[in-house]
Amino acid sequence: MNFDFSEEARELQAQARRFFDAEAGPDAARRILNDEERAFDTEMWSGIVDLGLTALRVPEVHGGLGLGAEEICLISEEAGRSLAPVPLMSTLLFTEALLVAGTPQQHERWLPGIADGSVIGCFGWGEGRSQLPTAMPDTRMAKGGLVGMKVPVADAPIAHVAALTVAGDDGPRLYLVDLAQDAAAVERVDVLDLVRLHGRIALDGARAEPMGGTSAFSDFLDKAAVLTSFEAIGTQDAAMTMAVTYARERVAFGQRIGRYQAVKHKAADMYVKQQLAVAHAMHGAWAFAADAPELRQAAAAARTASLDALTFTAEENVQIHGGIGFTWESDCQFYYRRARALSAGLGSRGFWSERLVRALEQRNAETA
Amino acid sequence: MNFDFSEEARELQAQARRFFDAEAGPDAARRILNDEERAFDTEMWSGIVDLGLTALRVPEVHGGLGLGAEEICLISEEAGRSLAPVPLMSTLLFTEALLVAGTPQQHERWLPGIADGSVIGCFGWGEGRSQLPTAMPDTRMAKGGLVGMKVPVADAPIAHVAALTVAGDDGPRLYLVDLAQDAAAVERVDVLDLVRLHGRIALDGARAEPMGGTSAFSDFLDKAAVLTSFEAIGTQDAAMTMAVTYARERVAFGQRIGRYQAVKHKAADMYVKQQLAVAHAMHGAWAFAADAPELRQAAAAARTASLDALTFTAEENVQIHGGIGFTWESDCQFYYRRARALSAGLGSRGFWSERLVRALEQRNAETA
Amino acid sequence: MDFNDNREEAALRARVRAWIAENAAEYEGLPPAKTPEEYVARQRGWQKKKYGGGYAGITWPKKFGGQGRAPMEAIIFSQEESRSAAPTGLYDIGLGMCIPTVFTHGSPDVIQRFVRRALEGDEIWCQLFSEPSAGSDLAGIRAKAVRDGTDWIVNGQKVWTTNAHLCDYGIIITRTDAGAPKHKGLTMFIVDMHAEGVECRPLKQMSGASDFNEVFFDDVRIPDAWRLGAEGEGWQVALTTLMNERLAVGGKPRNSPDWSMLMRVAAITETARGPAVHQADVRERIAQAYINDRGVALTQQRALSALSQGKTPGPEQSIAKLVVARQMQEISRFALDLSESAGFLTGEDGSDLARLQDSYFWAAGLRIAGGTDEILRNIIAERVLGLPGDLRPPKDTPFNEVQPL
Amino acid sequence: MDFNDNREEAALRARVRAWIAENAAEYEGLPPAKTPEEYVARQRGWQKKKYGGGYAGITWPKKFGGQGRAPMEAIIFSQEESRSAAPTGLYDIGLGMCIPTVFTHGSPDVIQRFVRRALEGDEIWCQLFSEPSAGSDLAGIRAKAVRDGTDWIVNGQKVWTTNAHLCDYGIIITRTDAGAPKHKGLTMFIVDMHAEGVECRPLKQMSGASDFNEVFFDDVRIPDAWRLGAEGEGWQVALTTLMNERLAVGGKPRNSPDWSMLMRVAAITETARGPAVHQADVRERIAQAYINDRGVALTQQRALSALSQGKTPGPEQSIAKLVVARQMQEISRFALDLSESAGFLTGEDGSDLARLQDSYFWAAGLRIAGGTDEILRNIIAERVLGLPGDLRPPKDTPFNEVQPL
């Protein structure tokens, strides 16, 4: 048995990490924060494309590297760790939607651009009200095209194409929408995360092509959950490292605060939650790669555990920093806010823990 | 305003506490523990009766002291603190059932005996399956009498009379059952609490008299919740004191373990939970005494908060004691087990927190 | 037990209510102040009315211009005041913490000079204690004061100063002897906030709002006559101020989300299993929120009752901020999660969601301000339950020789 | 990534499985042993078979009678063994912890005398470390050994000794120099459990069961030749033993309640809002339990994978007991609460409720045994995350002059 990533995947991760360590991180995030336009970092994006990160999953026939799930999971972790202000995760999710549910024509049309970095994709399901990813969307086919509104959609203002949920017969299904059309108007919206760009897509009879049915959407959702779990773990690890580093240095009452059990045990709890999340995320990566029937439950567990770890760590990182952690100048805010973004991006922990229990019931019923 | 108990009630409490400090506590509990028969402490019971604790709530016309809710709440707290192996709480609950829902004839028949200590009462609602206090009981009128089974009933093996829940038209209602009849057979049952005696009452056409309807039962339940909240707070306070005392004395790694924040903060959390419980229990005592419409919500909040405080404290008391706390010889077990008894005695925290939210919804609807 | 006023309390409340109704009428329906000047003018106007009406310094000794009355009277006044449109807040720190320190530790001249003007509202005060490296460990002060003839020269930085930019005077704790042990080398002064070398900068919080200041001191001169307490006794003086802070720290910030707000949000939210308000986990959170919110409020009633009976409140009070701050963060996050991606969109000021978002940020600060969760647990365990203190390095090492362990 | 055996692993597993099927057949369907003798006889019989079959001491060096093979082989054997009816457990502590200490620190004669007999199952071993005042702080040992010619005389008390009454030998840590600093005055010995002056008493747990012993030593003689490591080096020797304990401490006790048991109980339980298994709070607990249980199991898979690749597992393992013990207590209490008063009735052995009740007690002990929750958090924070240790009193004070702070 070998419940670990391959050496090759780890090497790729290390490469990506070196790049992000040099180019991204809180300082790069702060540049975006201080930029009213929140323009994304095109130079960093070029670097990412040059590294081949957008081409990873694209089949070789379409100009990509044709790699599997393992690599893309580890790249997601690094994207999360780095807070990289680029549309990498959105493009990766769009790519997976294409791979899970796209037609050969759609592959032909979009994958080469993804591989060479000229196409930025995004994925949207929310419609501005409290709503679950699997609830029937208001967005539907009418007027010979899509009508409705998708908000918030990460990176929509800079994306060329979107995978959006639309009302199907028995639940949401995905449609592909080329954003270069007037009937799909995109504008920026304000969200709690001040680094990652978000937008509203107003659909007024927009041309759109179906991508699979409701069950394909559900498969995509599980794979997206695995990827965003790794992303969350990366972000969590960065926040934990920040907290631990500070606890090793900051002095109060004559001793480093990391000596106090209140601080130390908080840090230990961060680690415990992280390790549970990592174990489930790796299980998810395996199920993703192996197309195993456990994918549903593994993905839901990974997403629940990783949101738990990230939320706890982002909150207690501020607490360990004390007053300074609560200031605008501190980097704590990036993690505090990103934790909200990751929760909002694909359904909160409540949605996923319920999905987990349903999957467990399903498996129980099958084995009974 | 005066959100505190009266001086007189506090004096009565102090009296009871002096008595219990001298006569009850873990050592007395251990005597019962070591007694296969689990016979209750008749000498202690005489002392309690002499102090007038069973007569407190009995109207003067029936030979009692005719005191209000405040006193009985504080006596419940002391009963809880002392772990007193006597049927005091059962008799107090039976007395309240009589006062809430009994007929003048029933008062006449039973209250004088309660006041002079010759009558021990009990209250039973469980039927040996997972079931809520307000669920429709299986026990019902048939064969010209009650048919069914009540278990576990605290102090049933030594009680003379019981208030039992029986199926009414729209929910449970109370019936009074004289236990001196063959059709109401009582036998001892084993439960997690090894100090407080419990029994099974098998009803096979037992003579029984109704005591009020379903709404009277519901009122009784609220008042019982207030009393058992004080009982739980007393037990919790004793367990917290045990934990704190040990943490002040036990040495590990060259210092008293109370210096470690992990121990210290656990103790602080015990205190915080206690204080929340005390505040709600006092609110319950006030609503009880004033017959205020807030009784439902105050009682439910008191019960939920006091079970939270007690459960946490009983568990973490063992933890603070370490290995020794996990032995039979340690007094920790009395609190660990009693916490289960108090939860089982009148519905667990889940039942009461749901009841609390229903009461809040009700109040919202009324004020809307 | 009785939640209602007794006869005297009721009479006082009626009197106070009538007075407030008459005097605060002009503030009703006013839009928020547009400029700092307008804000100060309103607050000052109201303070002057209170002074005129005999409602300023209600519990202060008469010799300092107060009314020398019982705490309960102050409480009743403040309860009624908070139900009115009267503009309050700007004087809370000055009159609640600074001036009591001044009249406890200041010279007769200083008392004469400052106390009444503060009470009349003519001069506004702030407290200059916290520093970047002196937060929980407040005695770690580094701002330096060096004697120069009959003056002292102050250099250093303070943070988390409320309203510093609107204030006329402050009390500042400084280190005057770095060779003395940490707690022994401190001295407290009054400082003129308009003096040369004082610079206030807004301190931006992670939420983006600026509710506090940083204050920089660059060769600021303070006459020795403005010293509060003896040289080197600053720590004891600060304890007076902080004792007053503990009494002043209230419960839940006004308008922060409570159980009923969660119930309201849950009523309009769908989950995979139907309306959120019907879900047991949501109901459990509502119950928990009620127990915390209402439990703290009832605990405060216990303290008020003790005051009303002429007793000193017990240590119950110390749980309030600990419970409230944590609860605020939990409930805000939970409700935002329930609202799914809608709870992530910002910009709708005044909506429930916007309040929850504000609270989620504010709570993170409240868990730290005025004693972190961890410091409060230490205080409860040590002062209320009698557990021993954390093991600490020796206290008698000179401050400038302390080697952090 | 691959959860399946690789080719060699699969071949080994097939071989092992066949061997076990043949050799453990006689134990299938046996009722529990009626006497301690019968219990020991069964365990000994199985250990002898393993020895004969070349499956005892799989990873031990050949020179000590072991097989000198890779950890993965031992793991595969033990996985298959645990799926069979083979009677195991009695030798775990002796072969897992004591004998590795003996062959690391014992003299050639001692190794010669003890190791092979233990491996063959002829002699059963226990570990005598914990004392009433040396639990988390294991170096606080007070059991005394005093030199008497070529012997040592031991007096004192040990607790939490598993199976002491069935054992032939034990390793015991004693204080041989009370004038040395705490960690310096300790010495480790082998002790004959049948020697005069050794008394084992069952130690009753709060559940009422007795799974451990107290062992009293009254002038017990031990030859100096049975010393393990140098005089005063007992602490270093104990660390060897404990390192082996950390590897041995597994995950969840077999049969302890997990998410599927909670699901089963919830399916037959009614709440005020319908079947418990439909309630969001119950489902939340099921999810949490799955995340903890399965998360720990997957974490162990990570460690096994590392072993299988010939790497040393990382520190991930250290989270297992912390998560498992807590989870057991929570889930047991939650399920008992769900069952309302039925969960309070005892006496129905073997039912789900009886298992939950057992677990509720057992978990309270598991949170303490082999490192309390608090000690484990310290270990994780200090050894994994690199945070500094708790501030402690000086380590060099002679043990008999230590004044507790």
Side-chain angles (χ1 to χ4, degrees):
Chain A
M1 62 169 288
N2 178 20
F3 183 39
D4 198 357
F5 291 95
S6 67
E7 296 290 341
E8 296 73 27
R10 287 290 186 197
E11 181 40 44
L12 191 70
Q13 175 183 29
Q15 231 175 15
R17 184 156 181 182
R18 281 191 296 273
F19 174 82
F20 285 128
D21 277 355
E23 307 292 329
D27 292 344
R30 195 167 290 277
R31 284 200 298 275
I32 306 297
L33 185 72
N34 291 334
D35 171 12
E36 258 307 297
E37 294 303 310
R38 307 253 183 277
F40 88 104
D41 190 328
T42 47
E43 205 172 314
M44 193 187 299
W45 184 241
S46 305
I48 286 167
V49 171
D50 289 349
L51 262 178
L53 302 188
T54 62
L56 277 184
R57 284 284 283 164
V58 174
E60 288 170 272
V61 57
H62 296 301
L65 303 171
L67 291 173
E70 293 194 23
E71 286 78 6
I72 209 68
C73 285
L74 292 176
I75 296 307
S76 299
E77 183 178 331
E78 295 314 312
R81 186 191 318 279
S82 72
L83 300 166
V86 289
L88 179 57
M89 287 308 301
S90 292
T91 300
L92 293 182
L93 293 181
F94 177 76
T95 307
E96 284 310 317
L98 267 183
L99 294 175
V100 168
T103 62
Q105 291 73 20
Q106 289 166 344
H107 287 187
E108 190 121 3
R109 165 72 186 83
W110 296 104
L111 286 172
I114 289 173
D116 70 20
S118 62
V119 167
I120 292 170
C122 65
F123 161 62
W125 60 275
E127 298 181 330
R129 56 190 170 84
S130 55
Q131 179 188 32
L132 300 170
T134 51
M136 187 65 89
D138 285 342
T139 302
R140 56 193 66 237
M141 287 301 288
K143 305 194 196 176
L146 285 186
V147 174
M149 194 251 291
K150 290 289 169 185
V151 63
V153 183
D155 296 312
I158 49 174
H160 306 98
V161 59
L164 303 177
T165 59
V166 171
D169 289 341
D170 49 355
R173 53 184 299 197
L174 289 172
Y175 271 70
L176 186 149
V177 179
D178 187 335
L179 295 176
Q181 56 176 313
D182 291 344
V186 180
E187 65 175 7
R188 217 186 87 192
V189 293
D190 289 332
V191 293
L192 286 177
D193 189 322
L194 302 178
V195 173
R196 185 173 281 179
L197 210 52
H198 282 74
R200 175 190 291 110
I201 306 180
L203 300 156
D204 185 23
R207 271 178 292 107
E209 305 163 5
M211 289 205 293
T214 296
S215 117
F217 168 65
S218 203
D219 286 349
F220 162 70
L221 200 57
D222 291 335
K223 291 181 173 174
V226 173
L227 296 185
T228 57
S229 296
F230 278 95
E231 183 192 10
I233 287 165
T235 308
Q236 187 272 349
D237 194 57
M240 181 173 84
T241 301
M242 186 185 172
V244 166
T245 304
Y246 190 74
R248 278 200 287 246
E249 293 165 0
R250 169 78 178 184
V251 171
F253 303 106
Q255 56 190 303
R256 287 174 287 155
I257 62 171
R259 289 197 190 275
Y260 294 109
Q261 290 188 341
V263 172
K264 185 182 292 195
H265 291 189
K266 230 188 254 301
D269 287 345
M270 290 176 182
Y271 179 78
V272 169
K273 286 175 197 286
Q274 178 193 71
Q275 288 301 304
L276 290 173
V278 166
H280 286 292
M282 286 177 68
H283 190 215
W286 166 80
F288 185 160
D291 249 324
E294 288 97 322
L295 177 60
R296 177 71 38 94
Q297 85 192 47
R303 174 101 181 141
T304 307
S306 62
L307 288 178
D308 280 347
L310 175 57
T311 300
F312 177 79
T313 305
E315 291 179 0
E316 300 309 319
N317 181 37
V318 178
Q319 185 69 14
I320 286 179
H321 276 76
I324 191 78
F326 184 56
T327 63
W328 184 259
E329 294 312 316
S330 164
D331 291 337
C332 289
Q333 67 155 307
F334 293 122
Y335 304 105
Y336 202 75
R337 292 174 179 279
R338 181 58 56 88
R340 294 283 89 214
L342 287 177
S343 176
L346 202 75
S348 71
R349 82 172 300 298
F351 168 75
W352 284 99
S353 68
E354 167 62 22
R355 190 167 167 99
L356 169 59
V357 176
R358 287 195 185 188
L360 295 174
E361 286 173 329
Q362 185 69 28
R363 295 214 52 164
N364 268 1
E366 279 164 12
T367 59
Chain B
M1 60 168 291
N2 178 19
F3 182 39
D4 197 0
F5 291 96
S6 68
E7 296 290 341
E8 296 73 28
R10 288 289 186 197
E11 180 41 43
L12 190 71
Q13 175 183 30
Q15 233 175 15
R17 182 153 183 185
R18 281 191 296 272
F19 174 82
F20 285 127
D21 278 354
E23 307 292 330
D27 292 345
R30 195 166 289 279
R31 285 198 299 277
I32 306 296
L33 184 73
N34 291 333
D35 171 12
E36 257 305 297
E37 295 302 312
R38 307 252 185 277
F40 86 105
D41 190 327
T42 48
E43 206 173 311
M44 195 188 297
W45 184 240
S46 305
I48 285 168
V49 171
D50 289 349
L51 263 180
L53 302 188
T54 64
L56 277 184
R57 282 284 283 164
V58 174
E60 287 172 272
V61 57
H62 296 302
L65 302 171
L67 290 173
E70 292 194 23
E71 286 79 5
I72 210 67
C73 286
L74 292 176
I75 296 306
S76 299
E77 183 178 331
E78 295 314 313
R81 186 191 318 279
S82 72
L83 300 165
V86 289
L88 179 57
M89 287 309 299
S90 292
T91 302
L92 294 183
L93 292 181
F94 177 76
T95 307
E96 285 308 318
L98 268 183
L99 293 175
V100 168
T103 62
Q105 292 75 20
Q106 289 166 343
H107 286 187
E108 189 122 3
R109 166 71 186 84
W110 296 104
L111 287 173
I114 289 171
D116 70 20
S118 61
V119 167
I120 292 169
C122 66
F123 161 62
W125 60 274
E127 299 181 329
R129 54 189 173 84
S130 57
Q131 181 187 28
L132 300 171
T134 50
M136 188 66 86
D138 285 342
T139 302
R140 52 192 69 238
M141 286 303 287
K143 303 194 197 178
L146 285 186
V147 174
M149 194 251 289
K150 288 292 170 184
V151 64
V153 183
D155 297 312
I158 49 173
H160 306 98
V161 60
L164 303 176
T165 58
V166 172
D169 290 340
D170 50 355
R173 53 185 298 198
L174 289 172
Y175 272 69
L176 186 151
V177 179
D178 187 337
L179 295 176
Q181 56 175 317
D182 291 345
V186 181
E187 64 174 7
R188 216 186 88 192
V189 293
D190 290 332
V191 293
L192 286 177
D193 189 323
L194 302 177
V195 173
R196 185 174 281 178
L197 210 52
H198 282 73
R200 174 191 290 108
I201 306 179
L203 300 156
D204 184 22
R207 272 178 292 108
E209 304 164 7
M211 291 206 292
T214 294
S215 115
F217 167 65
S218 202
D219 285 349
F220 162 69
L221 200 59
D222 291 334
K223 291 181 174 174
V226 174
L227 296 185
T228 57
S229 296
F230 278 95
E231 184 191 11
I233 287 166
T235 307
Q236 187 272 349
D237 194 56
M240 180 173 84
T241 302
M242 186 183 173
V244 167
T245 305
Y246 190 75
R248 278 199 289 245
E249 292 164 0
R250 170 77 178 185
V251 171
F253 303 105
Q255 56 189 305
R256 289 174 287 155
I257 62 171
R259 289 196 191 277
Y260 294 109
Q261 290 187 341
V263 171
K264 186 181 292 196
H265 290 189
K266 232 189 251 304
D269 287 344
M270 290 177 182
Y271 178 78
V272 170
K273 286 173 196 287
Q274 177 192 72
Q275 288 300 305
L276 291 173
V278 166
H280 286 291
M282 286 176 69
H283 190 217
W286 167 80
F288 185 160
D291 250 324
E294 288 97 321
L295 177 60
R296 176 73 34 95
Q297 86 190 48
R303 174 104 181 139
T304 307
S306 63
L307 288 178
D308 280 346
L310 175 57
T311 300
F312 176 79
T313 306
E315 291 178 359
E316 300 309 319
N317 181 37
V318 178
Q319 185 70 14
I320 286 179
H321 276 76
I324 190 78
F326 184 55
T327 64
W328 185 258
E329 295 311 317
S330 164
D331 292 336
C332 289
Q333 67 155 306
F334 294 122
Y335 304 106
Y336 202 75
R337 292 173 179 278
R338 182 58 56 87
R340 294 283 90 214
L342 287 176
S343 176
L346 201 74
S348 71
R349 83 173 299 299
F351 168 73
W352 285 99
S353 68
E354 168 62 22
R355 191 168 165 98
L356 169 59
V357 177
R358 288 196 185 189
L360 295 174
E361 286 174 328
Q362 184 71 29
R363 294 214 52 164
N364 268 3
E366 279 164 13
T367 57
Chain C
M1 280 190 178
D2 192 352
F3 275 99
N4 299 319
D5 287 334
N6 65 26
R7 199 141 38 139
E8 289 144 60
E9 289 163 356
L12 173 66
R13 193 181 296 278
R15 231 169 30 242
V16 162
R17 194 175 287 177
W19 186 89
I20 291 177
E22 194 185 322
N23 287 278
E26 63 171 294
Y27 306 108
E28 262 159 52
L30 281 192
K34 274 174 211 69
T35 61
E37 292 71 27
E38 191 184 354
Y39 172 75
V40 170
R42 277 189 205 171
Q43 298 264 344
R44 178 167 285 153
W46 176 244
Q47 183 64 25
K48 285 196 166 299
K49 284 191 191 184
K50 280 171 32 175
Y51 187 80
Y55 291 114
I58 294 178
T59 60
W60 288 12
K62 286 196 174 163
K63 62 176 166 175
F64 300 133
Q67 305 292 328
R69 305 235 285 281
M72 199 59 202
E73 300 196 20
I75 287 160
I76 287 174
F77 187 88
S78 114
Q79 287 174 338
E80 294 301 319
E81 188 183 38
S82 73
R83 284 188 199 113
S84 77
T88 61
L90 182 57
Y91 291 90
D92 289 357
I93 287 171
L95 300 179
M97 302 174 64
C98 301
I99 300 297
T101 307
V102 169
F103 65 62
T104 310
H105 297 284
S107 68
D109 282 356
V110 155
I111 293 172
Q112 171 77 15
R113 161 68 188 82
F114 289 110
V115 173
R116 191 174 300 251
R117 283 187 228 192
L119 196 59
E120 281 193 65
D122 286 331
E123 290 169 354
I124 306 167
W125 286 65
C126 61
Q127 179 208 310
L128 299 149
F129 283 15
S130 298
E131 296 182 9
S133 56
S136 292
D137 181 10
L138 190 55
I141 294 300
R142 294 178 184 208
K144 244 187 354 193
V146 177
R147 188 123 196 177
D148 181 41
T150 59
D151 287 350
W152 294 82
I153 314 283
V154 175
N155 280 285
Q157 181 192 354
K158 296 289 177 178
V159 286
W160 303 113
T161 315
T162 307
N163 288 325
H165 59 302
L166 303 177
C167 285
D168 302 299
Y169 294 94
I171 59 175
I172 183 169
I173 184 163
T174 62
R175 186 162 303 278
T176 46
D177 181 2
K182 186 161 132 186
H183 292 79
K184 300 280 164 82
L186 302 173
T187 307
M188 184 81 78
F189 297 97
I190 295 170
V191 62
D192 179 351
M193 296 296 287
H194 305 298
E196 201 176 329
V198 177
E199 189 195 349
C200 300
R201 292 186 207 151
L203 178 60
K204 200 166 170 187
Q205 293 131 238
M206 72 169 170
S207 63
S210 293
D211 297 301
F212 305 94
N213 301 82
E214 294 178 287
V215 186
F216 295 84
F217 294 87
D218 181 16
D219 283 341
V220 176
R221 233 163 231 287
I222 300 179
D224 184 59
W226 288 12
R227 186 169 27 78
L228 295 174
E231 187 180 336
E233 297 280 312
W235 183 246
Q236 283 67 38
V237 178
L239 291 182
T240 319
T241 318
L242 294 174
M243 203 152 48
N244 286 304
E245 179 175 35
R246 295 256 148 70
L247 292 176
V249 166
K252 215 158 56 72
R254 258 207 273 187
N255 292 323
S256 73
D258 63 358
W259 63 269
S260 64
M261 182 170 178
L262 179 55
M263 198 181 259
R264 200 161 63 230
V265 169
I268 56 166
T269 304
E270 275 297 310
T271 73
R273 305 188 69 82
V277 76
H278 293 170
Q279 303 309 311
D281 62 335
V282 177
R283 299 173 76 77
E284 183 52 50
R285 294 287 184 143
I286 294 171
Q288 203 64 60
Y290 174 84
I291 284 169
N292 288 332
D293 293 342
R294 191 71 195 272
V296 166
L298 287 165
T299 299
Q300 286 168 332
Q301 295 271 17
R302 290 179 67 195
L304 289 188
S305 283
L307 275 178
S308 146
Q309 316 292 307
K311 299 178 219 158
T312 311
E316 313 89 18
Q317 205 56 3
S318 53
I319 70 167
K321 197 194 71 104
L322 183 60
V323 172
V324 158
R326 192 86 203 209
Q327 166 67 24
M328 231 174 111
Q329 194 172 34
E330 299 265 330
I331 203 175
S332 307
R333 184 210 323 119
F334 185 78
L336 288 176
D337 262 2
L338 264 190
S339 304
E340 292 291 350
S341 63
F344 180 58
L345 287 164
T346 55
E348 260 200 84
D349 288 352
S351 70
D352 276 352
L353 286 180
R355 277 172 58 198
L356 288 165
Q357 292 169 341
D358 282 351
S359 291
Y360 188 58
F361 282 94
W362 189 248
L366 193 59
R367 285 182 59 199
I368 294 163
T372 63
D373 288 1
E374 292 72 27
I375 293 288
L376 292 177
R377 285 200 179 90
N378 264 15
I379 289 175
I380 290 170
E382 294 171 16
R383 301 208 197 145
V384 182
L385 301 176
L387 288 171
D390 298 345
L391 205 57
R392 299 246 164 104
K395 278 195 158 183
D396 45 6
T397 315
F399 185 72
N400 51 14
E401 291 173 19
V402 169
Q403 295 296 332
L405 292 172
Chain D
M1 279 191 180
D2 193 351
F3 276 99
N4 299 318
D5 288 333
N6 64 27
R7 200 143 38 142
E8 290 144 59
E9 289 163 354
L12 174 65
R13 194 182 295 279
R15 231 167 33 241
V16 162
R17 195 176 284 177
W19 186 88
I20 290 177
E22 192 184 324
N23 286 278
E26 62 171 295
Y27 306 106
E28 261 159 52
L30 281 192
K34 277 175 208 67
T35 62
E37 291 73 25
E38 192 183 352
Y39 172 75
V40 170
R42 278 190 204 169
Q43 298 266 342
R44 178 167 288 152
W46 177 245
Q47 183 63 27
K48 285 195 166 302
K49 284 192 190 182
K50 281 172 27 177
Y51 186 81
Y55 291 115
I58 295 177
T59 59
W60 289 10
K62 286 197 174 159
K63 61 176 168 177
F64 301 133
Q67 305 293 328
R69 303 235 286 280
M72 199 60 202
E73 300 197 19
I75 286 160
I76 287 174
F77 186 88
S78 115
Q79 287 173 340
E80 293 301 319
E81 188 182 38
S82 73
R83 284 188 197 113
S84 78
T88 61
L90 182 57
Y91 291 89
D92 289 356
I93 287 170
L95 300 179
M97 302 173 66
C98 302
I99 299 298
T101 308
V102 170
F103 66 61
T104 309
H105 297 284
S107 68
D109 284 356
V110 155
I111 291 172
Q112 171 78 13
R113 162 66 189 82
F114 288 110
V115 171
R116 192 174 299 253
R117 283 189 227 191
L119 196 59
E120 281 194 64
D122 287 330
E123 291 170 351
I124 306 167
W125 286 65
C126 60
Q127 178 209 313
L128 299 148
F129 282 15
S130 297
E131 297 183 9
S133 55
S136 292
D137 180 11
L138 191 55
I141 294 299
R142 293 178 184 209
K144 245 188 352 195
V146 176
R147 187 123 197 181
D148 181 41
T150 58
D151 287 351
W152 294 81
I153 314 283
V154 175
N155 280 285
Q157 180 193 351
K158 296 287 177 180
V159 288
W160 304 112
T161 315
T162 306
N163 289 326
H165 60 301
L166 303 177
C167 284
D168 302 299
Y169 294 94
I171 58 174
I172 182 169
I173 184 162
T174 62
R175 186 163 303 278
T176 47
D177 182 1
K182 188 162 132 184
H183 292 79
K184 300 280 165 82
L186 302 172
T187 307
M188 185 80 79
F189 296 97
I190 294 170
V191 63
D192 178 351
M193 295 298 287
H194 305 298
E196 201 176 329
V198 177
E199 190 196 347
C200 299
R201 293 185 207 154
L203 177 61
K204 200 166 170 185
Q205 294 131 236
M206 73 170 170
S207 63
S210 293
D211 297 302
F212 305 93
N213 301 82
E214 293 177 288
V215 186
F216 294 85
F217 295 86
D218 180 16
D219 283 342
V220 175
R221 235 165 228 285
I222 299 179
D224 184 57
W226 287 13
R227 186 166 30 77
L228 296 174
E231 187 180 337
E233 297 279 312
W235 182 246
Q236 282 66 37
V237 178
L239 291 182
T240 317
T241 318
L242 294 175
M243 204 152 48
N244 286 304
E245 180 175 34
R246 295 257 148 71
L247 292 178
V249 166
K252 216 156 56 72
R254 258 207 273 188
N255 291 322
S256 72
D258 64 357
W259 64 270
S260 63
M261 182 172 182
L262 178 55
M263 199 181 258
R264 202 160 63 231
V265 169
I268 56 167
T269 304
E270 275 297 309
T271 73
R273 306 188 68 83
V277 76
H278 293 169
Q279 303 309 310
D281 61 337
V282 177
R283 298 172 78 78
E284 182 52 50
R285 294 284 185 146
I286 294 171
Q288 202 66 59
Y290 174 85
I291 285 169
N292 287 331
D293 293 342
R294 190 72 194 273
V296 165
L298 288 164
T299 300
Q300 285 168 333
Q301 297 269 18
R302 290 179 67 195
L304 289 188
S305 283
L307 275 177
S308 146
Q309 315 295 306
K311 299 177 218 159
T312 311
E316 314 88 18
Q317 204 58 1
S318 54
I319 71 165
K321 197 193 71 102
L322 182 62
V323 172
V324 159
R326 193 87 205 212
Q327 165 68 23
M328 232 175 112
Q329 192 173 37
E330 300 264 331
I331 202 174
S332 308
R333 185 210 321 119
F334 185 78
L336 289 175
D337 263 2
L338 263 191
S339 304
E340 293 289 348
S341 63
F344 180 58
L345 287 163
T346 55
E348 262 200 86
D349 288 352
S351 69
D352 276 352
L353 285 181
R355 276 172 58 197
L356 288 164
Q357 291 169 343
D358 282 352
S359 291
Y360 187 58
F361 282 95
W362 189 249
L366 193 60
R367 285 182 58 198
I368 295 163
T372 62
D373 288 0
E374 291 73 27
I375 293 289
L376 292 177
R377 284 201 180 90
N378 264 16
I379 288 174
I380 291 170
E382 294 170 17
R383 300 206 198 147
V384 181
L385 301 177
L387 288 172
D390 299 343
L391 204 58
R392 299 244 166 106
K395 276 195 158 183
D396 45 4
T397 313
F399 185 70
N400 52 13
E401 290 173 20
V402 169
Q403 295 295 331
L405 293 173

